[in-house]
Amino acid sequence: MGRRIVGTTRGNAERDAITVEIGFALLTGAFAAALVYGVVAVPVWYFDLPDALRRIAAVAACLAFVARVVQVLWRFPRPGRGPTGQLSGQRPEKPADQPSQPGRTSPDS
């Protein structure tokens, strides 16, 4: 059995969200790679250009795939952090220009 680290257990909803996000990243990455490869490789076949451009298309497609996967997964909130990036136990800071109580026009009134 694997070791369990204290404070790092995940619920089913969080595991499902991570799984869906990884699947979305891989699917959109594959779509982006196919699009980039098609844009570069189709003219190579159509206009009978050198085959080296097909290799360039393959490299560009791989880079597009990796870039899209990293972009999607980097945006995903990390465990223990809220959507704003703050740790879950921290309170957000109040802006100084907001009244401290509803109905008041300034903090001094």
Side-chain angles (χ1 to χ4, degrees):
M1 297 285 254
R3 278 193 314 176
R4 182 179 268 183
I5 300 173
V6 177
T8 59
T9 58
R10 293 186 176 143
N12 285 339
E14 189 176 349
R15 283 194 303 258
D16 290 345
I18 291 169
T19 302
V20 167
E21 196 70 19
I22 291 170
F24 176 75
L26 293 174
L27 184 67
T28 59
F31 180 74
L35 188 66
V36 167
Y37 185 78
V39 165
V40 178
V42 167
V44 170
W45 290 318
Y46 189 73
F47 295 115
D48 197 28
L49 297 173
D51 285 336
L53 291 176
R54 237 186 275 169
R55 290 187 192 109
I56 292 172
V59 170
C62 290
L63 290 175
F65 176 80
V66 170
R68 178 62 183 164
V69 169
V70 168
Q71 177 191 19
V72 170
L73 294 180
W74 192 265
R75 263 190 346 209
F76 191 70
R78 290 181 222 135
R81 294 189 179 265
T84 60
Q86 291 182 332
L87 291 174
S88 57
Q90 293 178 340
R91 292 188 207 161
E93 294 183 27
K94 284 186 180 179
D97 58 343
Q98 292 290 323
S100 59
Q101 295 179 359
R104 304 251 175 146
T105 55
S106 71
D108 296 332
S109 57

